[in-house]
Amino acid sequence: MTSKSAAFSVPAAAATAAGPGTDSGRALPDRDSHSHSDHGSGTGRSGQGGRGGRGSRGGRPRARRSTAWRVAGFVVPVWIYILCFYVYPLIANVRMGFQDYSVSSFYSGSAPYVGFANYRSVFHSPQFAGIVTNTLLFTLGSLVFQFGIGLALAVFFRRKFPLNGVLRSLLLVPWLLPLVVSGTVWRWMMYADSGVLNRMLLNLHVITHPVPWLVSTTWSLTAVTLVNVWVGIPFNMVILYGGLQGVPEQLYEAAAIDGANAWQRFRRITWPMLRPVTLVVLTLGLIYTVKVFDVIQIVTQGGPANSSQTLTTYAYNLSFQQLEFGKGAAVGNLLILVAIVFAALYLRSVREPEGRNR
């Protein structure tokens, strides 16, 4: 409606503006011719649009094919990488666990299928029960102290005070250092006679004689657990500190008005609000701790007398020191199974909050 009124009002205004001597009748053919030309041009445009439409319809498949090729250019290399460096080694390790794979197999290419013989041999070995116990103690001790200290630091750094950010950054250093460097430094610090750790504990009167951290069957597992706790604290602190940032400050203010003390605020507000993050931190920490190799291998090499040996270092010793690759692969498959179970728990814990938020 607006376009029609504008079409009739424009010639009248033009005639009025042209004056009485102007033949308004000549304006009509111009308008008509203009409208015809517009119509013609519109037809032309529509014709062009039709050709363009056919062209665009013809171009859409080409565009889709081009997009598909670009997507494939990104996706295919990723799948090749995953297949070569993740799937194939995993399948090869599972297959090797059922074979009598030795050094001669590398030359002959033959490795007889032995079924579950490697697993039976590993399970019946005299040191296997002790190694599983070491793995459980190492994992449990690392998780408890990493999470406890990390949570305490996260709650502490939630307060605002000078140099808060600088101190938090310094606490990330153990996480940023290569594990080889961390393990080497801690090994030097734990020497019984010249180690810094014993000297400090003696000066503080915590111990009365030097502790043989690295050569004692009693202390070696504690030593590697201590180093792993030191390495894992920053990860727990960072994740829990991020979770604390999502707790509304109004809850603490309301609790303070109601007279809640610090412990009650932590128990009633902080801990329930951190529960999803806690589950993620503990699950990831468990997956990481079960497969820790670098720290133990550098600090004690699983010794003395397998006192700090875990399943990870045991698999390495079987494969690359005793050259029993089939048994080493069998132990590695047990670790893979444990990692898959806890990875599934982690994915479930992550998806449940997402499902509730939808």
Side-chain angles (χ1 to χ4, degrees), residues 18-57:
T22 305
D23 189 3
S24 60
R26 285 183 292 183
L28 292 175
D30 292 338
R31 184 187 65 186
D32 295 341
S33 62
H34 183 68
S35 63
H36 283 300
S37 63
D38 284 347
H39 180 72
S41 61
T43 305
R45 284 195 297 270
S46 62
Q48 292 171 359
R51 290 190 296 272
R54 288 192 294 271
S56 62
R57 286 194 296 271

Coordinates of all heavy atoms in Angstrom, one line a residue, residues 18-57:
A18 N 6.1 21.4 -11.9 CA 6.4 21.9 -13.2 C 5.7 23.1 -13.6 O 6.0 23.8 -14.5 CB 6.2 20.7 -14.2
G19 N 4.5 23.4 -13.0 CA 3.8 24.6 -13.3 C 2.6 24.3 -14.2 O 2.5 23.2 -14.8
P20 N 1.8 25.4 -14.4 CA 0.6 25.1 -15.2 C 0.9 24.9 -16.7 O 0.1 24.3 -17.4 CB -0.3 26.4 -15.0 CG 0.7 27.4 -14.5 CD 1.8 26.7 -13.8
G21 N 2.0 25.5 -17.2 CA 2.3 25.3 -18.6 C 2.8 24.0 -19.0 O 3.1 23.7 -20.2
T22 N 3.0 23.3 -18.1 CA 3.6 22.0 -18.4 C 2.5 21.0 -18.7 O 1.5 20.9 -18.0 CB 4.4 21.5 -17.2 OG1 5.3 22.5 -16.9 CG2 5.1 20.2 -17.5
D23 N 2.7 20.2 -19.8 CA 1.8 19.2 -20.1 C 2.1 18.0 -19.3 O 3.0 17.3 -19.4 CB 2.0 18.8 -21.6 CG 0.8 17.9 -22.0 OD1 -0.1 17.6 -21.2 OD2 0.9 17.5 -23.2
S24 N 1.1 17.8 -18.4 CA 1.3 16.7 -17.5 C 1.0 15.4 -18.2 O 1.4 14.3 -17.7 CB 0.4 16.8 -16.2 OG -1.0 16.9 -16.7
G25 N 0.3 15.5 -19.4 CA 0.0 14.3 -20.1 C 1.2 13.6 -20.6 O 1.3 12.4 -20.8
R26 N 2.3 14.5 -20.9 CA 3.5 13.8 -21.4 C 4.3 13.1 -20.3 O 5.2 12.4 -20.5 CB 4.4 14.9 -22.1 CG 3.8 15.3 -23.4 CD 4.8 16.3 -24.0 NE 4.8 17.6 -23.3 CZ 5.5 18.6 -23.7 NH1 6.2 18.6 -24.8 NH2 5.4 19.7 -23.0
A27 N 3.9 13.5 -19.1 CA 4.6 12.8 -18.0 C 4.1 11.4 -17.8 O 4.9 10.6 -17.4 CB 4.4 13.6 -16.7
L28 N 2.8 11.2 -18.2 CA 2.3 9.9 -18.0 C 3.0 8.8 -18.9 O 3.3 7.8 -18.4 CB 0.8 9.9 -18.3 CG -0.1 10.7 -17.3 CD1 -1.5 10.7 -17.7 CD2 0.1 10.1 -15.9
P29 N 3.2 9.2 -20.2 CA 3.9 8.2 -21.0 C 5.3 7.9 -20.4 O 5.8 6.8 -20.5 CB 4.0 8.7 -22.4 CG 2.8 9.7 -22.5 CD 2.6 10.2 -21.1
D30 N 5.9 9.1 -20.0 CA 7.3 8.8 -19.4 C 7.2 7.9 -18.2 O 8.0 7.0 -18.1 CB 7.8 10.2 -18.9 CG 8.1 11.1 -20.1 OD1 8.3 10.5 -21.3 OD2 8.2 12.3 -20.0
R31 N 6.1 8.2 -17.4 CA 6.0 7.3 -16.2 C 5.7 5.9 -16.6 O 6.3 4.9 -16.1 CB 4.8 7.8 -15.3 CG 4.7 7.0 -14.1 CD 3.4 7.5 -13.3 NE 2.3 7.2 -14.1 CZ 1.0 7.6 -13.8 NH1 0.9 8.3 -12.7 NH2 0.0 7.2 -14.5
D32 N 4.7 5.8 -17.7 CA 4.4 4.5 -18.2 C 5.6 3.8 -18.8 O 5.9 2.6 -18.5 CB 3.3 4.5 -19.2 CG 2.0 5.0 -18.5 OD1 1.9 4.9 -17.2 OD2 1.1 5.5 -19.2
S33 N 6.3 4.6 -19.6 CA 7.5 4.0 -20.3 C 8.5 3.6 -19.2 O 9.2 2.6 -19.3 CB 8.1 5.0 -21.3 OG 8.6 6.1 -20.6
H34 N 8.6 4.5 -18.2 CA 9.6 4.2 -17.1 C 9.2 3.0 -16.4 O 10.0 2.1 -16.1 CB 9.7 5.4 -16.2 CG 10.7 5.2 -15.1 ND1 12.0 5.2 -15.4 CD2 10.5 5.1 -13.8 CE1 12.7 5.0 -14.3 NE2 11.8 4.9 -13.3
S35 N 7.8 2.9 -16.1 CA 7.3 1.7 -15.4 C 7.5 0.5 -16.3 O 7.9 -0.6 -15.8 CB 5.9 1.9 -15.0 OG 5.1 2.0 -16.2
H36 N 7.3 0.7 -17.7 CA 7.5 -0.5 -18.5 C 8.9 -0.9 -18.6 O 9.3 -2.0 -18.6 CB 7.0 -0.1 -20.0 CG 5.5 -0.2 -20.1 ND1 4.8 -1.3 -19.8 CD2 4.6 0.8 -20.4 CE1 3.5 -1.1 -20.0 NE2 3.4 0.2 -20.4
S37 N 9.8 0.3 -18.6 CA 11.2 -0.1 -18.6 C 11.6 -0.8 -17.3 O 12.4 -1.7 -17.3 CB 12.1 1.2 -18.8 OG 11.9 2.1 -17.8
D38 N 10.9 -0.2 -16.2 CA 11.2 -0.9 -15.0 C 10.8 -2.3 -15.0 O 11.5 -3.2 -14.5 CB 10.6 -0.1 -13.8 CG 11.3 1.1 -13.5 OD1 12.4 1.3 -14.0 OD2 10.7 1.9 -12.7
H39 N 9.5 -2.4 -15.6 CA 9.0 -3.8 -15.7 C 9.9 -4.7 -16.5 O 10.2 -5.9 -16.2 CB 7.6 -3.8 -16.2 CG 7.0 -5.1 -16.3 ND1 6.6 -5.8 -15.2 CD2 6.7 -5.9 -17.4 CE1 6.0 -7.0 -15.6 NE2 6.1 -7.0 -16.9
G40 N 10.3 -4.0 -17.6 CA 11.2 -4.8 -18.5 C 12.5 -5.2 -17.8 O 13.0 -6.3 -17.9
S41 N 13.0 -4.1 -17.2 CA 14.3 -4.4 -16.5 C 14.1 -5.4 -15.3 O 14.9 -6.2 -15.1 CB 14.9 -3.1 -15.9 OG 14.0 -2.5 -15.0
G42 N 12.8 -5.2 -14.7 CA 12.5 -6.2 -13.6 C 12.5 -7.6 -14.2 O 12.9 -8.5 -13.6
T43 N 11.8 -7.6 -15.4 CA 11.8 -8.9 -16.0 C 13.2 -9.4 -16.3 O 13.5 -10.6 -16.2 CB 10.9 -8.9 -17.3 OG1 9.7 -8.3 -17.0 CG2 10.8 -10.2 -17.9
G44 N 14.0 -8.4 -16.8 CA 15.3 -8.8 -17.1 C 16.0 -9.3 -15.9 O 16.8 -10.3 -15.9
R45 N 15.8 -8.5 -14.7 CA 16.5 -8.9 -13.5 C 16.0 -10.3 -13.1 O 16.7 -11.1 -12.6 CB 16.2 -7.9 -12.4 CG 17.1 -6.7 -12.6 CD 17.1 -5.9 -11.3 NE 15.8 -5.4 -10.9 CZ 15.3 -4.2 -11.3 NH1 16.0 -3.4 -12.1 NH2 14.1 -3.9 -10.9
S46 N 14.6 -10.4 -13.3 CA 14.1 -11.7 -12.9 C 14.6 -12.8 -13.7 O 14.9 -13.9 -13.3 CB 12.5 -11.7 -12.9 OG 12.1 -11.5 -14.3
G47 N 14.8 -12.4 -15.1 CA 15.4 -13.4 -15.9 C 16.8 -13.7 -15.5 O 17.2 -14.9 -15.5
Q48 N 17.5 -12.6 -15.2 CA 18.9 -12.8 -14.7 C 18.9 -13.6 -13.4 O 19.7 -14.4 -13.2 CB 19.6 -11.5 -14.6 CG 19.8 -10.8 -15.9 CD 20.3 -9.4 -15.6 OE1 20.5 -8.9 -14.5 NE2 20.6 -8.6 -16.7
G49 N 17.8 -13.2 -12.6 CA 17.7 -13.9 -11.3 C 17.4 -15.3 -11.6 O 18.0 -16.2 -10.9
G50 N 16.6 -15.6 -12.6 CA 16.3 -17.0 -12.9 C 17.6 -17.7 -13.3 O 17.9 -18.8 -12.9
R51 N 18.3 -17.0 -14.2 CA 19.6 -17.7 -14.7 C 20.5 -17.8 -13.5 O 21.2 -18.8 -13.3 CB 20.2 -16.9 -15.8 CG 19.5 -17.0 -17.1 CD 20.3 -16.4 -18.2 NE 20.5 -14.9 -18.0 CZ 19.7 -14.0 -18.5 NH1 18.6 -14.3 -19.1 NH2 20.0 -12.7 -18.3
G52 N 20.5 -16.7 -12.6 CA 21.4 -16.7 -11.4 C 20.9 -17.8 -10.5 O 21.7 -18.5 -9.9
G53 N 19.5 -18.0 -10.4 CA 19.0 -19.0 -9.5 C 19.5 -20.4 -10.0 O 19.9 -21.2 -9.2
R54 N 19.4 -20.6 -11.4 CA 19.8 -21.8 -11.9 C 21.3 -22.0 -11.6 O 21.8 -23.1 -11.3 CB 19.5 -22.0 -13.4 CG 18.0 -22.1 -13.7 CD 17.8 -22.5 -15.1 NE 18.2 -21.4 -16.0 CZ 17.4 -20.5 -16.4 NH1 16.1 -20.5 -16.0 NH2 17.8 -19.5 -17.2
G55 N 22.0 -20.8 -11.8 CA 23.4 -20.9 -11.6 C 23.8 -21.2 -10.1 O 24.6 -22.0 -9.8
S56 N 23.0 -20.5 -9.2 CA 23.2 -20.7 -7.8 C 22.9 -22.2 -7.4 O 23.5 -22.8 -6.6 CB 22.5 -19.7 -6.9 OG 21.1 -19.9 -7.1
R57 N 21.7 -22.6 -8.1 CA 21.3 -24.0 -7.7 C 22.4 -25.0 -8.3 O 22.7 -26.0 -7.7 CB 20.0 -24.3 -8.4 CG 18.8 -23.7 -7.6 CD 17.5 -24.3 -8.1 NE 17.3 -24.1 -9.5 CZ 16.6 -23.0 -9.9 NH1 16.1 -22.1 -9.1 NH2 16.4 -22.8 -11.2

